[in-house]
Amino acid sequence: MFCQRSLGANEVVETFPVGRRLAFDAARGRLWVVCRSCERWNLTPLEERWEAVEACEELFRETRMRMSSENIGLARHPEGLELVRIGKPLRAEFAAWRYGDQFGRRRRHTIVRWTVAGLGLAGGVAVAGVAGGAVGALLAFEGAYWVNLLNYVRPSIRFRPEDGLLRRMSARGLREMRIRPTDDESLFRVLALPQRFDITSAEWFEGEDALRVLRATLPALNALGGEARTVEAAVSEISERGHAHAFLEQIAVRSEGYLREGAPGSLVRMPGPVRLALEMALHEEDERRALEGELWRLERAWREAEEIAAIADRLLPPDGAID
């Protein structure tokens, strides 16, 4: 549902050989493939799920290397497949398992990247200083400045709205993004700055396009991820409103206080837990829609089965017709 990368493969679950980490909820019949690169949970199609969930449950019980709380368990199969078994967890516990790895790994990767870049710059300046003295060190600093500026304005984020035209955004554009209420039934509208530098060229996106913009940009805005306590605070933001959809309905109203250069709704001015909660809520909203689609398919299948049963009933001879 979310990932564009390979999810890997396993040779353990014969009915579902996709993924190296599978999460499942046997009571609700749900199965996710967890991406080991970004830690996102990808909900699997309904028709591929039921037998695989039963197989995962059996494998989990047979695997010795496992640890469990009251609601969630983790098992590692000898072949390398990891199984996450969901019972009836509270939102906080479930979200800690689901999002903790994702945001924690993102934070570690960003810190490592910054550290390597800093050491590279220091080493380059030192070498340049030895080779060319003060002038060499100054040129090294100047080169680093232009590299950073290029990365800041380079269009590294892409998304495609319903009009079909590809949009590109840079890190500079992220700082100008805003989220505001709408006058219709849309959850909110989002201001995005295209590749050009002129703020007057910014575009407002609503409805599904607004969701597309946020899906593309929030991972970059939340590049530092979050520690365990930050993730807990983000979960609380959603839990206080009952569920993810209610949080999304309120986020634009609350944005009035997030000011940047006097304009409300600035995403970069949002507290870290609120931005993380927004990213979580978008994931869960996508799943909610997918599950609603499944319910529609189940209802249609049930109605078709009822029609067939009714036809079969009419073909039966009336009572007493056969002695």
Side-chain angles (χ1 to χ4, degrees), residues 245-287:
H245 188 75
F247 173 83
L248 291 175
E249 288 179 331
Q250 291 295 316
I251 188 67
V253 177
R254 296 173 56 196
S255 68
E256 192 70 32
Y258 307 136
L259 299 176
R260 172 175 164 78
E261 297 179 356
S266 171
L267 285 171
V268 296
R269 296 301 186 192
M270 282 184 178
V274 176
R275 279 206 313 269
L276 288 181
L278 181 55
E279 189 172 347
M280 290 179 189
L282 285 174
H283 292 176
E284 295 187 19
E285 175 68 6
D286 287 340
E287 284 199 358

Side-chain angles (χ1 to χ4, degrees), residues 42-240:
N42 301 271
L43 188 66
T44 63
L46 178 66
E47 59 272 10
E48 300 179 5
R49 190 179 309 165
W50 300 105
E51 293 183 5
V53 169
E54 293 178 0
C56 287
E57 179 71 31
E58 184 176 350
L59 285 169
F60 184 87
R61 295 181 184 277
E62 294 175 353
T63 302
R64 292 185 178 182
M65 294 180 59
R66 67 172 186 252
M67 55 184 179
S68 299
S69 67
E70 181 180 358
N71 300 307
I72 300 180
L74 176 64
R76 185 186 298 274
H77 192 274
E79 296 294 331
L81 175 66
E82 292 184 352
L83 296 168
V84 180
R85 183 182 186 275
I86 309 301
K88 295 181 179 179
L90 299 174
R91 167 175 286 278
E93 185 181 4
F94 181 40
W97 274 79
R98 178 168 182 174
Y99 298 108
D101 283 352
Q102 178 186 152
F103 293 133
R105 177 174 292 194
R106 189 186 296 174
R107 179 180 180 83
R108 291 191 295 273
H109 283 181
T110 301
I111 291 174
V112 168
R113 187 166 62 249
W114 287 356
T115 301
V116 170
L119 291 175
L121 173 60
V125 171
V127 171
V130 171
V135 175
L138 181 61
L139 290 176
F141 271 115
E142 186 73 12
Y145 167 80
W146 286 108
V147 169
N148 288 333
L149 180 61
L150 178 63
N151 288 333
Y152 184 60
V153 300
R154 180 172 57 91
S156 56
I157 301 165
R158 296 171 174 82
F159 60 93
R160 193 183 300 274
E162 290 184 351
D163 62 13
L165 298 178
L166 182 66
R167 305 297 202 282
R168 296 179 175 87
M169 284 184 60
S170 64
R172 193 262 184 184
L174 291 176
R175 300 189 63 80
E176 305 299 335
M177 288 185 63
R178 285 192 283 149
I179 184 169
R180 300 296 293 142
T182 62
D183 297 328
D184 54 27
E185 296 181 355
S186 302
L187 289 171
F188 42 70
R189 57 183 182 142
V190 174
L191 179 73
L193 186 68
Q195 184 176 349
R196 291 168 291 180
F197 291 93
D198 185 4
I199 189 63
T200 60
S201 66
E203 298 179 73
W204 284 101
F205 297 92
E206 297 186 11
E208 291 298 321
D209 284 346
L211 299 180
R212 287 190 178 95
V213 173
L214 290 179
R215 290 191 197 102
T217 56
L218 279 173
L221 282 166
N222 292 330
L224 266 178
E227 299 174 339
R229 60 184 179 183
T230 308
V231 175
E232 291 175 4
V235 173
S236 297
E237 289 283 341
I238 299 176
S239 298
E240 288 176 1

